[in-house]
Amino acid sequence: MNYPIPTGTRDILPDEMRELRQLSSVLLQTFQRFGYGEVSTPTMEYEDVLVQGDERAAGASYRLFDEHGQVLALRSDMTIPIARLAATRFAGVEPPFRFCYLSHAYRAVRPQRGQQREFLQAGIELIGADAPEGTVEVLEVLTAALDAGGLPRARVGLGDAGMFTGLLRGMGVAPAGSKAVLEALARHDLVELERLVAGLDVASQRRETLVALPQLRGGPEVIERAVEIGGEDVRAAISRLGEVADRLSERGIADRVIFDLGLVRDLGYYTGAIFEVYDPALGHVIGGGGRYDGLLARFGHAYPACGFALYVERMHVAQAEEDRLRAEGGR
Amino acid sequence: VSEPLRLAVPGGSLFGETLDLLDRIGVDSAPLRSDSRSLMFPGEEVTVVTMRPSDVPTYVEAGAVDLGITGKDVLMEQQERVVYELLDLGYGRCRMVVATRAGNPFADDLERRLGAIRIATKYPRVAARYFDQSGRQAEVIEVKGSVELAPLSGLADGIVDLTATGRTLEENDLEVREVIADCTARLVANRVAHKMRHEAIERIVERIGNGAR
């Protein structure tokens, strides 16, 4: 190859591009059908504005200087830019706001892992609608988008970002101990989690809760099971999930959701419900999202908010894999 | 539609005890014991796939298999792989150690005089991380074959390697200076399968937990 392009970037040729375009438009049409208006923001933003939203600038990896020496960062997702947009362009307008987007975002890759530096995201942000109603609306749009995108077997993992932090705080665990436990949980290293928890100065019943809870996942029955295991310690977080579960059943989409009490996402701004999107044909996550009730306040407006992003290229891979499986008549 | 779970089984030193474990949890290991040429062994509940231990995290992360068994040493070296570590299986116990020539009075002296120690290893990332975390400088040299040769021939001052009984080290006139970690066989799962196939995976985990460990 004489004229290389950066690792983690791709040229897209007509056959693939046609399918990607088709997928992108059905996703946008679905979002718009639910009343979400498409917006676009600059690919690069002032770094200190992104940092306003999240200390790590949502994990932005690429920075450059403009001609005045200001530090610019390539966006790593659309959530912070849209929070900024809502806070500045819609100041004085009564929420809720419903926005959708189809945009590239940029993240660092680890060498030789086939990861993409530049990837296409399609998603929505619902700003100014509280849990549980707002969460359920976002999940409804998400499942509709997965159906429209030809992935009826896809499922949404649903957890609560605040559960373990609250649990550890309630048990009086020191911040240093909490941090190690949360890190093991984020890696889903249950062996390390068990080892760390064994060293915590809490009652043995509570130690069992900390180990058993993150292994709970499945249908709405895990919500009852979590209360049996965790009792009073988990009641607040569990009742948040329970309220969402009830409304999902009412709307007939409860079977698209896997309740997952071990779900932890590594982005700093999530507060309540968090999502991950899976398709059985693909070993990688195809999307994610959640509630970020504190983010808009960082831009001067204390609005609750919730959203998701789907990785369009990965959805396309999942579509192709689903087609292959169908052709082969199952794996 | 309940397809069998795919389980990656490591060849090499963990192979025998892994087959014993399969028998205890009701997965017939006889085909694996009698046929050393096939790589995939279909079953009703579990399809077993055999591979090198160091390939297990790759297959599990990509979702080509749902579950895998491999050593903690492999997981430590491939720390960036996103796999869920579900169980410590308890067997294949060994230690990741720093070893130098036995009674070598020069090792500390060299580290002091040269500011860095030369370490040969098959685990370059584990070694680099360990010395980094302990605030010391090391020149890490990756070798593929018998790592004991490196200090004997003067390629390196010491090695970072896995030892079970310590006999190979002894035979090569090496002694353990520091223990980096205790390693055992671990059960790991693909992130998506862990959710989408949670019932099937939980059944396996429970069976292993119920006295099979």
Side-chain angles (χ1 to χ4, degrees):
Chain A
M1 263 213 304
N2 290 321
Y3 309 108
I5 59 174
T7 55
T9 64
R10 295 190 320 130
D11 291 326
I12 301 174
L13 307 187
D15 283 342
E16 181 186 357
M17 195 63 223
R18 197 175 309 115
E19 293 188 13
L20 276 176
R21 180 69 66 203
Q22 166 70 17
L23 173 56
S24 304
S25 19
V26 299
L27 292 175
L28 279 181
Q29 280 160 20
T30 308
F31 301 157
Q32 282 161 352
R33 185 156 54 81
F34 282 90
Y36 287 73
E38 186 180 358
V39 293
S40 170
T41 65
T43 308
M44 53 191 125
E45 299 246 0
Y46 289 120
E47 188 202 25
D48 52 8
V49 175
L50 291 186
V51 169
Q52 186 75 34
D54 173 69
E55 285 81 3
R56 299 176 302 153
S61 307
Y62 302 105
R63 290 172 175 78
L64 45 147
F65 294 105
D66 72 6
E67 65 279 27
H68 306 297
Q70 300 249 46
V71 183
L72 309 179
L74 293 191
R75 64 180 173 221
S76 62
D77 67 19
M78 284 297 284
T79 301
I80 294 179
I82 288 183
R84 175 194 58 69
L85 174 145
T88 50
R89 312 296 164 208
F90 291 79
V93 182
E94 250 333 90
F97 311 127
R98 291 181 170 80
F99 301 125
C100 68
Y101 57 87
L102 175 72
S103 301
H104 283 99
Y106 302 83
R107 284 185 201 162
V109 295
R110 300 196 194 96
Q112 287 156 30
R113 299 294 312 286
Q115 294 173 335
Q116 294 302 311
R117 287 180 205 277
E118 180 183 53
F119 48 92
L120 187 60
Q121 290 189 324
I124 66 166
E125 309 289 352
L126 171 56
I127 295 168
D130 225 326
E133 282 303 333
T135 312
V136 173
E137 178 180 323
V138 168
L139 285 168
E140 198 176 13
V141 180
L142 176 52
T143 50
L146 292 169
D147 286 344
L151 299 176
R153 299 205 301 154
R155 294 291 178 272
V156 181
L158 173 64
D160 190 285
M163 186 170 70
F164 271 87
T165 340
L167 202 54
L168 290 162
R169 202 182 317 117
M171 292 179 179
V173 177
S178 274
K179 185 161 173 282
V181 168
L182 289 169
E183 277 169 6
L185 210 54
R187 286 199 309 276
H188 225 277
D189 183 344
L190 297 179
V191 176
E192 175 71 0
L193 177 73
E194 204 169 337
R195 195 187 68 80
L196 288 170
V197 166
L200 291 180
D201 183 24
V202 297
S204 69
Q205 173 65 39
R206 287 181 151 174
R207 279 204 283 267
E208 281 168 32
T209 301
L210 286 172
V211 173
L213 215 54
Q215 305 190 43
L216 281 184
R217 60 210 187 279
E221 72 280 357
V222 303
I223 292 175
E224 281 166 43
R225 187 82 189 89
V227 177
E228 281 169 32
I229 292 176
E232 277 310 312
D233 289 334
V234 300
R235 201 167 290 280
I238 290 304
S239 72
R240 285 200 293 267
L241 273 178
E243 286 172 355
V244 173
D246 292 343
R247 286 168 174 76
L248 290 174
S249 309
E250 284 165 23
R251 300 194 191 196
I253 50 172
D255 60 340
R256 302 300 297 275
V257 171
I258 300 170
F259 294 90
D260 183 356
L261 302 184
L263 185 57
V264 175
R265 279 172 67 83
D266 50 8
L267 280 176
Y269 47 67
Y270 288 110
T271 47
I274 35 174
F275 328 135
E276 275 185 351
V277 188
Y278 318 107
D279 187 89
L282 201 68
H284 299 283
V285 170
I286 58 175
R291 294 208 67 82
Y292 44 96
D293 291 336
L295 179 59
L296 267 289
R298 287 163 156 270
F299 290 104
H301 296 272
Y303 300 143
C306 186
F308 68 78
L310 290 165
Y311 300 111
V312 178
E313 287 112 341
R314 283 193 186 172
M315 280 186 80
H316 186 216
V317 176
Q319 280 185 336
E321 285 292 316
E322 290 282 3
D323 289 346
R324 185 178 65 82
L325 290 177
R326 262 194 301 276
E328 287 176 359
R331 181 153 104 173
Chain B
V1 238
S2 180
E3 298 157 14
L5 279 179
R6 289 190 181 199
L7 168 69
V9 161
S13 62
L14 295 175
F15 191 60
E17 279 175 284
T18 301
L19 296 190
D20 297 345
L21 174 73
L22 292 185
D23 287 333
R24 288 200 298 276
I25 63 170
V27 176
D28 184 14
S29 75
L32 282 102
R33 291 180 196 271
S34 60
D35 175 2
S36 60
R37 285 223 297 247
S38 297
L39 301 171
M40 278 184 90
F41 300 87
E44 216 161 89
E45 193 187 12
V46 176
T47 287
V48 175
V49 188
T50 58
M51 61 183 69
R52 278 175 72 135
S54 57
D55 284 340
V56 171
T58 316
Y59 279 78
V60 172
E61 183 188 44
V65 296
D66 303 306
L67 289 172
I69 293 173
T70 192
K72 181 65 181 173
D73 54 310
V74 171
L75 296 173
M76 284 167 65
E77 181 63 16
Q78 301 187 34
Q79 207 183 31
E80 78 288 356
R81 297 250 173 236
V82 180
V83 297
Y84 283 7
E85 195 174 324
L86 302 184
L87 284 177
D88 182 345
L89 298 172
Y91 59 85
R93 189 171 293 280
C94 45
R95 294 178 302 164
M96 183 75 77
V97 300
V98 181
T100 60
R101 300 280 294 271
N104 179 357
F106 300 116
D108 296 332
D109 204 35
L110 276 174
E111 196 175 346
R112 183 178 59 76
R113 286 176 56 199
L114 304 179
I117 184 169
R118 291 173 305 158
I119 294 290
T121 184
K122 289 179 213 164
Y123 300 91
R125 280 176 283 187
V126 171
R129 202 160 55 228
Y130 175 70
F131 280 95
D132 211 28
Q133 280 169 358
S134 53
R136 291 176 293 170
Q137 306 182 78
E139 181 192 336
V140 176
I141 305 163
E142 185 176 3
V143 295
K144 304 279 189 192
S146 304
V147 71
E148 299 80 15
L149 179 62
L152 291 181
S153 63
L155 174 70
D157 309 313
I159 63 172
V160 164
D161 204 18
L162 214 50
T163 172
T165 60
R167 220 178 57 217
T168 316
L169 291 180
E170 227 170 85
E171 281 170 3
N172 288 288
D173 199 28
L174 294 167
E175 69 180 11
V176 173
R177 289 291 183 113
E178 295 158 50
V179 177
I180 297 176
D182 288 307
C183 296
T184 45
R186 303 292 161 97
L187 179 72
V188 295
N190 171 263
R191 182 177 175 186
V192 174
H194 188 252
K195 324 292 177 190
M196 301 292 280
R197 306 292 313 271
H198 59 91
E199 279 165 350
I201 289 181
E202 226 33 49
R203 270 200 300 278
I204 300 279
V205 167
E206 256 167 50
R207 254 184 263 163
I208 295 176
N210 286 341
R213 262 200 268 187

